Structures are given as structure tokens and as C-alpha cells.
Amino acid sequence: MTTQELIAQIHKKQSFLCIGLDTDLDKIPKFLLKEEDPIFTFNKAIIDATHHLCVAYKPNIAFYEAYGVEGWSSLRKTIEYLNENYPEIFTIADAKRGDIGNTSTRYAKAFFEDLNFDSITIAPYMGKDSVEPFLAFENKHTILLALTSNEGAFDFQTKKIGDTELYKEVLSISTTYKGSENLMYVVGATKAAYFKEIRKIVPNSFLLVPGVGAQGGNLHDVCAHGMTKDVGLLINSSRGIIYASGEQNFAEAAQQKACELQIAMKKELDGLHQVF
Amino acid sequence: MTTQELIAQIHKKQSFLCIGLDTDLDKIPKFLLKEEDPIFTFNKAIIDATHHLCVAYKPNIAFYEAYGVEGWSSLRKTIEYLNENYPEIFTIADAKRGDIGNTSTRYAKAFFEDLNFDSITIAPYMGKDSVEPFLAFENKHTILLALTSNEGAFDFQTKKIGDTELYKEVLSISTTYKGSENLMYVVGATKAAYFKEIRKIVPNSFLLVPGVGAQGGNLHDVCAHGMTKDVGLLINSSRGIIYASGEQNFAEAAQQKACELQIAMKKELDGLHQVF
């Protein structure tokens, strides 16, 4: 998917919501466990109920890997279902991979070609030759971890490197990589004040923002500092939406939560149209 | 496996060799492709031919993931074959994972419990709460990326943070994590001169060292600066061993290459006994 297609979808749906499919057998409604593939059954119901309210889905790969071969089968069914039924949706493999040259190419092929995801999250620690293999794929997007929303982000990411901080160095240096036009960045919403600084380094890039809601970030603050004229934000919510109810009505309850966020996002987009 | 059991195995086999199972359908002997599971067939032959010369195997997870559900099935068969037939072998899931709290726990369960690997490689970028969930597993080991052997290592890892470099900060801070006695570190052998500095920070930890051979590192230099009284090194070789021949004799050729390295390692261990 091209970035322009993503932007068009955002304007059409008046939403920049990404729904995280962190699907966990311990948390989905109990009555689904008797299904042949409870994970896919759950995902399908969530997707069918929310696809018109969001522009992206982000399966967290760890949750699928934890169930071994069956988990991978559920993941494959989920991405195939999305690509067949809702091809306008932007899909994110939240894999946080990062390895050298030929291994990165393997991962890129697995997620971009075999599973046909539009994008993947990548850790920056190993640098240029761990990232560029992903950037070589046309109309595929690489979402680099910059500033995450967890406590451990302060261990290294915010440490000073000369006059700057490590996460800013990651932003700056990555813009020099070959194919950097295919880069997006993960920036945690728990640190809305940082968005202003980040926009000085990557004024136009899309930012994938976890941590609105459950992790305490504030949608309006993030938009005030992080939004660009082409929106430039994908706001992720996972547990707050998909586990809104553990009963028969789980999909409706998820739809309700997604709808609340979409309405709040429409308000921010209305504000954007007044500014630009 | 306990660290003491690993050390005992090293002394028994007079080897600290780790063989990387980067198994690639494009590189294994062509005649194997007609097998029902060419990847497992290849791995089994390599393992049977080399297990007495090495102390560890390290499947690179990307290579298996690239083949989807079948790849995961080959990986599972490989680790089960190792655990059943050669339980003394230390197994490393080279996954380079890194994610927050509950996601890390998922990965830890997938690799430590479901697949029953002894250890996993982890990226440090997300800090404490992305690493500690792995450290909570008894007699399982977490191998943190410190200084990798690729060109991109210079993008961030060797950058100055105050008076030190990022990779040294990773070493220092990680020693304060809960369960840090279960930590080992990846240190690329292309930078043998760094080992002296590294040993000042982690004098006793095991270091997993890629880059001897194919990537240009020198075994003797690494041992001179990196070895501890309990050896403290696992030297990895992947392609140089497993792809030594593309013909019918591939397993014998791999054995020959592994044997050459084992002999060189025995010499280093003899030297160690003279020093300590």
C-alpha cells in the first residue's frame, strides 16, 4: 500500500485508529474456546465489527508465536482474511525484528511477501544493514522503534549522545538510509511533550503511537504536537478495544470502544482542516 | 541447563563451538529438496555429524519463519531432536526479540517452555522491562545483543553516551536487572580489541561470539582478550561449517570444518589451563 492510499483512507473514514490484535486465549471470551480456531474466530469477529472505524490492524506476532504452529496458522488466516475482505486496510506485523543483512531479508520476505503485510516494526540497535533490507521493498513500510512507551525506554533511548538523545539519533541517522521514504516510527504517547522535538527531525513521517488509553497517553496532546498536514499519525489501541467485553457481545463492545476513539479522532481531523 | 553444566560440557568436549543452523533451501544440497522436510533432514544430518565437536546449536529463527508454518514445524522437529538425542547440548534460539512486559513473557514461554530452548538472543533497545521477563526463567539464559559484528553496529552501539559507549552502557545497566545472573552477551569477533574493555564490565559472563571465520574475526585474539577461568566464550560459526559442501558428502564436510575449529579451540583451552 502506498502512503497516499493510507492518507486517503484516513480522510475517508475520518479515523487514524490502528487496532492491535494482541489475541490471547486467556483473555478472549470463554465460549470461543470450543471453536476449532478460537484465535482466528475472535479476530474475524473483531475485524468484521470494527473495520469501518479504523485504518489499520496490528497483530502482535509474539501472541501468535506463543502458540507455535497453530498460532502461525491463525496469524496467516487473519492476514489473508484482511487482505481478501478489507484490502484498503493497512496491516502491521508488530514483530520488532532486527538482524543483519541476509537474515533481515529473510524476515522481510516472510512478512512482506509470504504473509503480505503492508508493514513491519523493526528494532534499530543493529543499525543500517539491519534496516535497509526492509526498505528495499516497494510500497512496504518499515516502522522503526524510536521512543517506546514502556519504563525501560529510559534505560537507553533517552540517554544523551553528544548534544542529542539516542532516540533522536535513531530518527536522524535512519533518514540517511537508502529507501528511507519507506520509514515510519514508533513513538509512545506517554511522552506527548516529545512529539514537538520529534517533528523537527521527521516533519512528515507517519508515527505509530501506542499508549493512548491503557498506557495513559492523551489523544489531544499527541495530535496537537504530532499531527502533520497529511495527518502523519496512526494511534494504536489494543486491549482497550478488543477486550472491552468477555461476553457474547464482545464484538459489539469492541465496536463501541473503537467508535468512541473514531469520534475523538474526527474532532482532531476537523481541527486539522482548520489549521491547514 | 545450568551454566555449570555448560562449562562441564566444554571441558569434556574440549570445545566451545556453537554451530549456527541458518538453514536455507537455496543453499542446502539440491538432492535433499525431494525429502518431505528438507530443512529438518539437513539439520539432523549436520547435528549427527558434529554434535561431539560442539557444545551448542543456534538455529537462526528468521530462516525458519521465512517458510511459514512448515518452517516452524522444521524448527520444532530440530529442537525436539536435539533435546531427545543430545540433551547435553546448549540450545540457542537466535531470535533477537525485544518487546514490553507481557509480550516478552509470551516470547519467553514460546521459546523456553513450548520449544524448550536453553537460551534466546534479545535486543536491548527497549530496556529493563523488555529483558527481565526472560530473566525470570530458572536455568534459562538470555543472550543480550551488546556489540554486533555488522557494519551497522557503528550507527548506534559504539556512539558515546557520556564517558562510555552505548554497548558498554548496555552491559553495565543490564547487570543491575533482576535475574542478571542469567545474562550472556553477543559480542562480535570482528572487534577483538574491544574484549578487554568488555571484560572490565562483565568479567565472568558468557559471551556468544559470531564473526569468527566468515566475518573475519580471529579465534586466538578473541580468546586472548575474552576468555575467563571458566572459558566464558561460545564461538559461533554458521555458513563456514554447514555449507562446507553442497554435495552428497555435506555432513562429512561440515564435520571436517567443525573438527578444525575444535582442534584450534583445544589449543586455546590448553593455554587457559596453563594460565589459571
Side-chain angles (χ1 to χ4, degrees):
Chain A
M1 182 180 297
T2 67
T3 307
Q4 285 308 316
E5 287 168 331
L6 172 60
I7 295 166
Q9 193 198 169
I10 289 172
H11 288 301
K12 190 175 160 198
K13 291 181 174 169
Q14 291 287 290
S15 170
F16 40 101
L17 176 62
C18 172
I19 296 180
L21 298 172
D22 299 7
T23 309
D24 181 341
L25 288 177
D26 295 338
K27 289 195 183 146
I28 66 175
K30 295 279 170 289
F31 74 91
L32 290 176
L33 299 179
K34 64 177 191 292
E35 298 285 332
E36 197 192 323
D37 185 341
I39 293 177
F40 174 65
T41 306
F42 177 82
N43 286 352
K44 181 177 175 301
I46 294 286
I47 291 164
D48 287 339
T50 58
H51 67 94
H52 55 297
L53 299 166
C54 68
V55 294
Y57 288 100
K58 178 175 74 65
N60 187 324
I61 305 304
F63 284 75
Y64 300 85
E65 246 175 22
Y67 300 114
V69 169
E70 287 104 51
W72 274 91
S73 168
S74 303
L75 176 66
R76 176 177 292 276
K77 280 197 259 180
T78 301
I79 183 71
E80 284 176 354
Y81 186 76
L82 278 167
N83 285 334
E84 274 166 31
N85 296 279
Y86 307 108
E88 78 283 6
I89 291 280
F90 185 74
T91 52
I92 303 169
D94 193 6
K96 301 191 178 69
R97 297 296 190 262
D99 211 314
I100 52 172
N102 62 344
T103 310
S104 280
T105 302
R106 289 272 138 189
Y107 278 130
K109 284 187 178 173
F111 288 104
F112 287 162
E113 292 184 349
D114 185 40
L115 292 170
N116 198 17
F117 274 96
D118 292 312
S119 66
I120 184 172
T121 58
I122 294 295
Y125 192 71
M126 294 182 75
K128 180 174 171 144
D129 49 345
S130 73
V131 179
E132 286 187 344
F134 291 94
L135 300 177
F137 287 74
E138 207 179 351
N139 295 331
K140 299 288 184 179
H141 306 265
T142 302
I143 311 179
L144 205 59
L145 300 187
L147 186 60
T148 56
S149 53
N150 62 315
E151 189 198 330
F154 298 104
D155 274 6
F156 310 115
Q157 297 169 26
T158 56
K159 286 275 163 77
K160 277 274 184 192
I161 290 203
D163 294 336
T164 189
E165 287 101 30
L166 176 59
Y167 78 93
K168 289 188 193 167
E169 189 78 353
V170 166
L171 293 169
S172 304
I173 288 188
S174 66
T175 63
T176 68
Y177 293 168
K178 190 162 185 263
S180 64
E181 65 279 8
N182 294 332
L183 278 172
M184 300 181 173
Y185 300 93
V186 172
V187 179
T190 47
K191 304 176 182 76
Y194 290 85
F195 278 78
K196 210 168 172 178
E197 293 292 301
I198 288 167
R199 279 300 179 206
K200 289 182 190 164
I201 309 170
V202 287
N204 300 312
S205 303
F206 260 86
L207 308 179
L208 172 64
V209 185
V212 168
Q215 289 167 63
N218 179 303
L219 178 66
H220 181 68
D221 288 350
V222 170
C223 291
H225 298 298
M227 208 176 248
T228 70
K229 71 174 171 40
D230 282 329
V231 188
L233 295 172
L234 289 173
I235 305 278
N236 183 75
S237 176
S238 303
R239 286 164 289 170
I241 291 177
I242 68 173
Y243 300 130
S245 160
E247 308 299 324
Q248 289 282 348
N249 70 340
F250 73 97
E252 281 164 61
Q255 186 180 64
Q256 179 60 37
K257 288 287 175 193
C259 194
E260 287 168 17
L261 273 168
Q262 186 270 323
I263 289 168
M265 287 179 179
K266 184 179 182 309
K267 207 176 282 179
E268 297 298 331
L269 289 172
D270 289 344
L272 173 72
H273 296 145
Q274 286 163 11
V275 175
F276 291 100
Chain B
M1 183 181 295
T2 66
T3 307
Q4 284 309 317
E5 287 168 331
L6 172 60
I7 295 166
Q9 194 197 167
I10 289 172
H11 288 301
K12 189 176 161 197
K13 290 180 174 170
Q14 290 286 290
S15 170
F16 41 101
L17 176 62
C18 172
I19 297 180
L21 297 172
D22 299 6
T23 310
D24 182 341
L25 288 177
D26 295 339
K27 288 194 183 144
I28 65 175
K30 294 280 169 287
F31 74 90
L32 290 176
L33 299 179
K34 64 177 190 294
E35 298 284 334
E36 196 191 323
D37 186 341
I39 293 177
F40 174 66
T41 307
F42 178 81
N43 286 351
K44 181 177 175 302
I46 294 284
I47 291 165
D48 287 340
T50 58
H51 67 93
H52 56 298
L53 300 166
C54 68
V55 294
Y57 288 100
K58 177 175 76 64
N60 186 323
I61 306 303
F63 284 75
Y64 300 84
E65 246 175 21
Y67 300 113
V69 169
E70 287 103 51
W72 275 90
S73 168
S74 303
L75 177 65
R76 177 177 291 278
K77 279 196 259 180
T78 301
I79 183 72
E80 284 176 354
Y81 185 77
L82 278 168
N83 285 334
E84 273 166 31
N85 296 279
Y86 308 108
E88 78 283 6
I89 290 280
F90 186 72
T91 53
I92 303 169
D94 192 6
K96 301 190 177 69
R97 297 295 189 265
D99 211 314
I100 50 173
N102 62 343
T103 311
S104 280
T105 303
R106 289 270 138 188
Y107 278 130
K109 284 188 179 174
F111 289 104
F112 287 162
E113 291 184 351
D114 185 41
L115 292 169
N116 198 15
F117 274 96
D118 292 312
S119 66
I120 184 173
T121 58
I122 295 295
Y125 191 71
M126 295 183 74
K128 179 174 171 144
D129 49 345
S130 72
V131 180
E132 286 188 343
F134 291 94
L135 300 178
F137 288 74
E138 206 178 355
N139 295 331
K140 299 287 183 180
H141 306 265
T142 301
I143 310 180
L144 205 59
L145 300 187
L147 186 61
T148 56
S149 54
N150 63 316
E151 189 197 330
F154 298 104
D155 275 6
F156 309 115
Q157 296 169 26
T158 56
K159 286 276 164 76
K160 277 273 183 193
I161 289 201
D163 295 335
T164 187
E165 286 102 31
L166 176 59
Y167 78 93
K168 288 189 195 166
E169 189 78 354
V170 166
L171 292 169
S172 304
I173 288 189
S174 66
T175 62
T176 69
Y177 293 167
K178 187 159 187 262
S180 63
E181 66 278 9
N182 294 330
L183 278 172
M184 300 180 174
Y185 300 94
V186 172
V187 179
T190 49
K191 305 178 182 74
Y194 290 84
F195 279 79
K196 209 168 171 178
E197 293 293 301
I198 288 167
R199 279 299 179 206
K200 288 181 191 163
I201 310 171
V202 287
N204 300 314
S205 303
F206 259 86
L207 307 179
L208 172 64
V209 185
V212 168
Q215 290 167 64
N218 179 303
L219 177 66
H220 181 67
D221 288 351
V222 169
C223 292
H225 298 299
M227 208 175 248
T228 70
K229 70 174 171 38
D230 282 328
V231 188
L233 295 172
L234 289 172
I235 305 278
N236 182 74
S237 176
S238 303
R239 288 164 288 170
I241 291 177
I242 69 174
Y243 299 131
S245 160
E247 308 300 324
Q248 290 282 348
N249 71 339
F250 72 97
E252 280 163 61
Q255 187 180 66
Q256 178 60 37
K257 287 288 175 191
C259 194
E260 287 168 19
L261 273 167
Q262 187 270 324
I263 290 168
M265 287 177 179
K266 183 180 183 310
K267 206 176 283 179
E268 297 298 331
L269 289 172
D270 289 343
L272 173 71
H273 296 145
Q274 285 162 14
V275 174
F276 292 100

